[in-house]
Amino acid sequence: MAFRDGPFENLKVPLAWTAAVVVVVGIVGAVMLLLGDTRQTSNAESFAPARAGFEAGAAPVGGVLSAPVRWTGNAVDYVKGYFFAVSENRRLRAEIAELNAWRDDALALKNINGRYEQMLGVKTEPPVPMVTGLAITDARGPFARSRLLNIGAAKGVRVGNPVLSEHGLVGRIMGVSAGNSRMLLLTDVASRTPVLVERTDARAMLTGDGSGSPRLDYIRGAGSVQEGDRIMTSGDGGGFPRGLPIGVAAKGVDGTWRVKLFSDRTAIDYVRVLLFQDFSQLADQNALNAPPLASLAAAPPPTPAQAAAIQDVATRRAAVAAATAERVRAANAAPPPVPAAAPAATAPAPTAARPAATRPTTPQPRPVAPRTTTPTPPPTPEVEPAPTGAAE
């Protein structure tokens, strides 16, 4: 026997020896299989060492014999993949195109969701009602820098309402219809916004001049503004709530103070309109209209000493009120009737003719009758006429 067309072509093995080796190996394998597959329970203990040795020796042999099978399966898969690569490539290209569309939609939704989350995080203190809308570029109208919003009077929007983005103040409402409204940006030449410097509380006026960074005018106090100071709404005039973020102060090339707006960080697409009318809506009207002693309703009961003091004060007030009423009734009472004059010529003159010096300064008290619904008029003093003889 000889190996042809290989590295062992010069190696020669006798055929008889080869057959003998194969037979011996087969006999040994058969014996080992018989010993390993025995099921006699009586001789189980006697064959246990032999079985363990067989299993220890058969495991590597089984791994070597199964290796060609695995290699053959891998080779078949490789050949099949090579022949079907074109169809697989087409299928993968179609899936990639479909997944690209899904990826673009997912990125867009992620961006919108992130901006919505930022918009929901915009809050005021105290809270003010808000409505969310979409801003559309406006190329026409009386203002150079403005936007159209898809919300209007049907949502409660009014002229003058502040408009916020997820970063800060953007502008205010200048016109309203049923379903739309016009927003004037802070950078427009017609925009004027009262602001303050957060660090020094200095007041100023934010004036738009058509550029991307509006100007700070009428700054109160020397040195009250520095580079990087936060600028916020001051609330002066009642048009804006106090504390809405606007931007940071920066020195312009012309030497004036300008504001880098927070709203310039992203495009102005989604905005929130503050339904702000005046500062009265920021207060709790129920708390303001509550009675002055409403907070004392749940007060603890007074101690005995406090109750005695309160009773004493009430008694004194009642006595003072009774004395005052008595004096008033005495002062309003009519004077007593005067007796009639004597008929003699030397009789004193009637009471009505007496000089004022003889009249008593204080009327004499008299018993007070119980008060009725209709007061009795005081009696009129009667004067007796002079005698006839004296008249003659």
Side-chain angles (χ1 to χ4, degrees):
M1 180 179 181
F3 296 95
R4 300 296 182 182
D5 299 332
F8 305 102
E9 61 182 352
N10 297 325
L11 180 63
K12 296 180 179 180
V13 179
L15 181 60
W17 287 97
T18 304
V21 170
V22 171
V23 171
V24 171
V25 172
I27 292 172
V28 172
V31 172
M32 294 178 67
L33 290 175
L34 290 174
L35 294 176
D37 195 46
T38 181
R39 299 182 181 276
Q40 298 180 1
T41 58
S42 60
N43 298 330
E45 297 180 358
S46 61
F47 290 107
R51 183 180 300 174
F54 170 74
E55 293 177 354
V61 176
V64 174
L65 295 177
S66 63
V69 178
R70 294 195 303 269
W71 296 342
T72 304
N74 294 335
V76 172
D77 294 339
Y78 178 77
V79 173
K80 290 174 63 178
Y82 179 79
F83 283 104
F84 292 100
V86 176
S87 61
E88 186 71 13
N89 189 19
R90 292 176 181 174
R91 184 180 66 82
L92 292 177
R93 286 178 180 272
E95 290 184 359
I96 290 175
E98 183 179 359
L99 291 177
N100 285 336
W102 281 98
R103 182 198 61 184
D104 296 339
D105 294 341
L107 292 176
L109 292 176
K110 181 180 179 181
N111 183 24
I112 295 175
N113 189 32
R115 299 191 66 177
Y116 275 146
E117 290 179 354
Q118 292 180 350
M119 291 296 298
L120 292 175
V122 176
K123 297 180 180 179
T124 59
E125 184 61 33
V128 178
M130 302 182 187
V131 291
T132 305
L134 180 64
I136 307 171
T137 300
D138 182 18
R140 296 179 298 175
F143 306 105
R145 294 181 177 269
S146 61
R147 296 287 188 275
L148 287 179
L149 306 183
N150 61 349
I151 52 177
K155 297 292 185 177
V157 179
R158 298 184 179 182
V159 175
N161 290 154
V163 183
L164 298 175
S165 68
E166 63 268 31
H167 300 293
L169 184 66
V170 177
R172 68 178 185 274
I173 300 297
M174 295 300 294
V176 177
S177 64
N180 299 95
S181 58
R182 187 187 299 276
M183 173 184 63
L184 180 68
L185 298 179
L186 296 175
T187 55
D188 191 86
V189 293
S191 175
R192 300 292 186 274
T193 307
V195 298
L196 61 85
V197 182
E198 184 181 20
R199 181 179 57 87
T200 60
D201 201 30
R203 298 302 197 273
M205 183 65 69
L206 186 67
T207 305
D209 56 359
S211 63
S213 300
R215 188 175 64 252
L216 280 178
D217 293 335
Y218 309 108
I219 302 174
R220 297 182 182 178
S224 57
V225 182
Q226 294 182 3
E227 195 83 15
D229 285 344
R230 282 172 52 91
I231 307 300
M232 311 175 72
T233 56
S234 64
D236 296 339
F240 294 87
R242 180 187 175 95
L244 299 180
I246 297 178
V248 295
K251 201 73 171 180
V253 294
D254 55 354
T256 60
W257 285 107
R258 295 184 174 271
V259 178
K260 295 181 179 179
L261 301 177
F262 292 143
S263 58
D264 289 342
R265 296 176 180 176
T266 56
I268 303 175
D269 296 329
Y270 301 97
V271 295
R272 303 196 75 181
V273 180
L274 273 69
L275 305 182
F276 177 79
Q277 302 175 10
D278 50 42
F279 289 103
S280 62
Q281 72 181 105
L282 303 181
D284 188 0
Q285 299 297 330
N286 295 329
L288 293 178
N289 297 330
L293 301 180
S295 60
L296 302 179
T303 61
Q306 294 176 348
I310 295 174
Q311 185 65 26
D312 187 17
V313 172
T315 303
R316 292 182 180 180
R317 289 183 177 178
V320 172
T324 304
E326 183 67 22
R327 286 197 298 268
V328 170
R329 286 195 298 267
N332 295 334
V338 180
T346 60
T351 305
R354 289 182 181 180
T358 61
R359 294 182 180 178
T361 57
T362 303
Q364 297 298 327
R366 65 174 182 174
V368 180
R371 180 175 296 180
T372 58
T373 55
T374 303
T376 304
T380 305
E382 298 180 358
V383 181
E384 186 177 353
T388 307
E392 293 176 357

